[in-house]
Amino acid sequence: MPQLNGTIPTEVGLMTTLNALHLYGSQVHGTIPTEIGSLTRLVQLKLHNNELSGKVPTEIGLLGVLSLLRLDGNDLLCGALPPGPN
């Protein structure tokens, strides 16, 4: 399986019809962009086993249909998971 490296670009927020984002087991580093909150159709977000750092963005809580979230294996990622929408 090819590995990706680099950061998650802020332009990810423009892919508003995306329903799954799987970037796990690569060399993705940096922070999770707040623009991820624009992906309101996202059902699966798998970012585990990378080199992500910083705080988990509160905007992840805006993802109302998200049913699977994997952030484990990012040793420099910190913060609590934000509450989901009401």
Side-chain angles (χ1 to χ4, degrees), residues 48-83:
H48 57 289
N49 297 332
N50 280 294
E51 299 170 9
L52 294 169
S53 59
K55 291 192 173 194
V56 176
T58 58
E59 288 79 5
I60 286 181
L62 300 174
L63 304 176
V65 295
L66 189 68
S67 63
L68 177 61
L69 174 63
R70 295 270 321 260
L71 299 175
D72 55 288
N74 291 287
D75 295 337
L76 299 176
L77 198 60
C78 63
L81 291 178

Side-chain angles (χ1 to χ4, degrees), residues 8-82:
I8 302 171
T10 57
E11 291 83 5
V12 72
L14 299 174
M15 299 188 292
T16 56
T17 59
L18 199 65
N19 63 22
L21 182 58
H22 296 177
L23 298 175
Y24 58 90
S26 291
Q27 296 174 0
V28 177
H29 57 85
T31 60
I32 301 171
T34 58
E35 289 81 2
I36 206 112
S38 299
L39 306 179
T40 56
R41 296 182 184 183
L42 203 62
V43 176
Q44 295 185 358
L45 179 57
K46 294 182 176 184
L47 302 176
H48 57 289
N49 297 332
N50 280 294
E51 299 170 9
L52 294 169
S53 59
K55 291 192 173 194
V56 176
T58 58
E59 288 79 5
I60 286 181
L62 300 174
L63 304 176
V65 295
L66 189 68
S67 63
L68 177 61
L69 174 63
R70 295 270 321 260
L71 299 175
D72 55 288
N74 291 287
D75 295 337
L76 299 176
L77 198 60
C78 63
L81 291 178

